[in-house]
Amino acid sequence: MSRPQVTRALAELGAEPVTHLINTHWHFDHADGNDWLHSAGAKIIAQENTSKHLAGIQRVEDWDYNFLPSPAGAIPSEVFAREHSLKLNGASIGLKYYGPAHTDGDISVTFAEANVLHVGDTYWNGIYPFIDYSTGGSIDGMIAACNASLAAATSDSIIIPGHGKPVSNKTELQEFRDMLAAIRDNVAKLKKQGRTRDETVAAKPTAAFDAKWGQFVIDPGFFTRLVYEGV
Ligand SMILES: [Zn+2]
């Protein structure tokens, strides 16, 4: 569905064809262009769990939706378990598996010379994130992924999130990570006291963060339910 915008952006870069496409995870808003870009000649690369999810039916409980298998051309043809590296147009590109985080297939993509770190949906810049428990995501995995990204970044790294303001940095990512950890602790405390999910939402454990982070599709109640599921 983003084909017209992507086609326009590619044309502005030059006439050369796209030869490689990297999927940071399987979600449709990140992999929906696979089929047409593959038809245009791109090789698709992903972590092996991402490829598995794209090839089968996926039920995402929190969206109450079943995703159908992708067409053959949309399935990544080059998969890896932990790490993969590429050298393209003089750029060193490093792909690294986070372990289960937002899904069970999230990877970071590092462009070494440019000092750019793409962290996919393990980071939503300025907004509460979705966490896909149906395919292996969890709040603790999200926090662990942020810790890994922070360790890999330098103070002048350009960090590209999966959603939110498209260009970020280590300071903002640190703030996102600290928000996740604080809400995780608040929700865990309530759950330990025996509060049900609805009682925990009613106690507003995200209140201190809502003005800044609660202004997008994952609202405070929804985010609280996602955290509750994982603590
Ligand atoms: Zn996603």
Side-chain angles (χ1 to χ4, degrees):
M1 66 185 109
S2 57
R3 182 174 183 166
Q5 295 95 308
V6 173
T7 303
R8 209 176 315 125
L10 288 170
E12 281 168 19
L13 292 175
E16 293 86 358
V18 177
T19 58
H20 295 72
L21 173 63
I22 297 167
N23 289 156
T24 57
H25 62 297
W26 73 274
H27 285 155
F28 71 97
D29 54 327
H30 298 261
D32 193 46
N34 281 13
D35 201 27
W36 74 264
L37 276 161
H38 174 259
S39 303
K43 169 164 57 167
I44 306 171
I45 307 170
Q47 205 275 343
E48 56 195 16
N49 292 333
T50 295
S51 187
K52 241 177 272 170
H53 294 316
L54 286 170
I57 295 176
Q58 299 308 324
R59 166 143 191 91
V60 175
E61 224 38 77
D62 288 306
W63 292 337
D64 188 23
Y65 194 84
N66 294 318
F67 291 90
L68 296 177
S70 304
I75 310 299
S77 61
E78 194 162 330
V79 299
F80 64 95
R82 312 241 35 121
E83 286 188 51
H84 187 76
S85 57
L86 300 164
K87 189 96 186 180
L88 296 172
N89 297 335
S92 312
I93 303 170
L95 284 57
K96 194 166 182 187
Y97 182 43
Y98 279 113
H102 164 78
T103 65
D104 63 3
D106 305 288
I107 60 168
S108 60
V109 183
T110 306
F111 300 83
E113 291 82 1
N115 196 10
V116 171
L117 176 63
H118 195 312
V119 299
D121 272 4
T122 66
Y123 175 28
W124 295 40
N125 187 14
I127 48 185
Y128 290 139
F130 179 63
I131 303 170
D132 185 359
Y133 286 84
S134 295
T135 53
S138 71
I139 179 64
D140 288 342
M142 287 288 284
I143 295 169
C146 289
N147 291 342
S149 298
L150 288 165
T154 58
S155 60
D156 53 354
S157 294
I158 294 168
I159 300 181
I160 312 290
H163 295 275
K165 280 184 284 120
V167 177
S168 189
N169 56 47
K170 197 172 175 179
T171 307
E172 290 178 344
L173 175 58
Q174 181 74 53
E175 203 186 334
F176 175 77
R177 182 251 171 239
D178 292 346
M179 174 276 292
L180 295 182
I183 291 176
R184 187 217 178 278
D185 287 352
N186 291 349
V187 172
K189 213 174 290 164
L190 293 163
K191 192 170 181 179
K192 215 168 170 190
Q193 290 167 4
R195 310 252 192 138
T196 64
R197 198 177 71 162
D198 287 347
E199 287 165 355
T200 301
V201 171
K204 300 192 187 307
T206 65
F209 299 94
D210 290 347
K212 176 170 168 63
W213 304 90
Q215 311 298 322
F216 191 55
V217 286
I218 311 299
D219 64 29
F222 190 3
F223 186 57
T224 302
R225 289 193 291 277
L226 289 173
V227 175
Y228 187 89
E229 199 170 338
V231 295

